[in-house]
Amino acid sequence: MIPKKNVVPMKKLLFVALIALSGCAAIKSDTSFSREGKLLKDVETLSSDAYEGRRTGTKGAELAREYIVSRFNEIGLQKLTGKSSFIEDFSFTRRNSTTPIEAKNILGMVKGSSDKVIVISAHYDHIGVNGDKIFNGADDNASGIGGLLHIAAYFAKNKPTHT
């Protein structure tokens, strides 16, 4: 068990990540970081009630996937080599279950000038709805997707060395 003093709340981690991003000169000059820009809009959109907490296999997860794919297209991300879609199907089983759950990953890339690859990832699903409460998941992981989209947009405009 982790002692309580070593546990860092997700909001503090998000704050640290946003401060780190805001400290970068290239990011500072990027107006999409502001409240009027895309970063916070992405987080607000994905964590809104309309997305019903984005539980895997639900309409909310489907809406989130459609939103993220539209942002990949808007940013100008490429599909992985040999793929016709950003969507990759997979299945898994939940703990204490043998019933497979069908799910979908969303994969895109910014082609670099070398054959080396850096992978940046975040999950877009969350808990969903329990009873009459929506678990919106701003800290888990709408903020991760917002950060990923922001980084992808930057590198789509400023071609990196590594893919």
Side-chain angles (χ1 to χ4, degrees):
M1 184 168 176
I2 299 172
K4 197 71 165 164
K5 66 180 180 179
N6 291 335
V7 176
V8 179
M10 287 301 292
K11 287 182 182 180
K12 286 186 180 178
L13 291 176
L14 172 61
F15 178 73
V16 169
L18 291 177
I19 292 301
L21 280 174
S22 67
C24 298
I27 302 294
K28 269 187 172 177
S29 63
D30 186 349
T31 58
S32 68
F33 189 75
S34 69
R35 176 156 292 285
E36 297 77 31
K38 287 287 189 179
L39 177 66
L40 292 177
K41 181 184 182 301
D42 289 335
V43 175
E44 289 169 351
T45 299
L46 290 166
S47 63
S48 71
D49 285 353
Y51 289 77
E52 302 172 340
R54 306 179 312 279
R55 184 176 176 93
T56 301
T58 66
K59 182 67 175 170
E62 182 181 335
L63 289 171
R65 190 168 48 257
E66 289 170 1
Y67 179 82
I68 295 165
V69 167
S70 73
R71 290 286 287 122
F72 275 24
N73 283 315
E74 180 183 323
I75 290 166
L77 295 185
Q78 299 170 22
K79 295 169 184 78
L80 298 186
T81 305
K83 299 291 183 178
S84 61
S85 171
F86 289 116
I87 306 298
E88 184 77 22
D89 296 330
F90 72 100
S91 64
F92 68 96
T93 55
R94 295 191 195 279
R95 283 180 251 163
N96 304 321
S97 175
T98 57
T99 306
I101 306 283
E102 299 303 316
K104 298 177 185 299
N105 278 328
I106 310 165
L107 309 167
M109 71 174 184
V110 175
K111 184 75 175 141
S113 58
S114 80
D115 291 334
K116 293 182 179 180
V117 175
I118 296 173
V119 176
I120 302 171
S121 70
H123 63 92
Y124 68 95
D125 65 338
H126 190 56
I127 296 171
V129 178
N130 189 354
D132 62 352
K133 182 161 174 50
I134 299 174
F135 291 86
N136 299 93
D139 292 341
D140 186 13
N141 198 359
S143 59
I145 294 296
L148 181 143
L149 292 169
H150 193 73
I151 291 167
Y154 174 81
F155 283 113
K157 292 178 187 170
N158 302 277
K159 296 297 179 199
T161 301
H162 302 315
T163 297

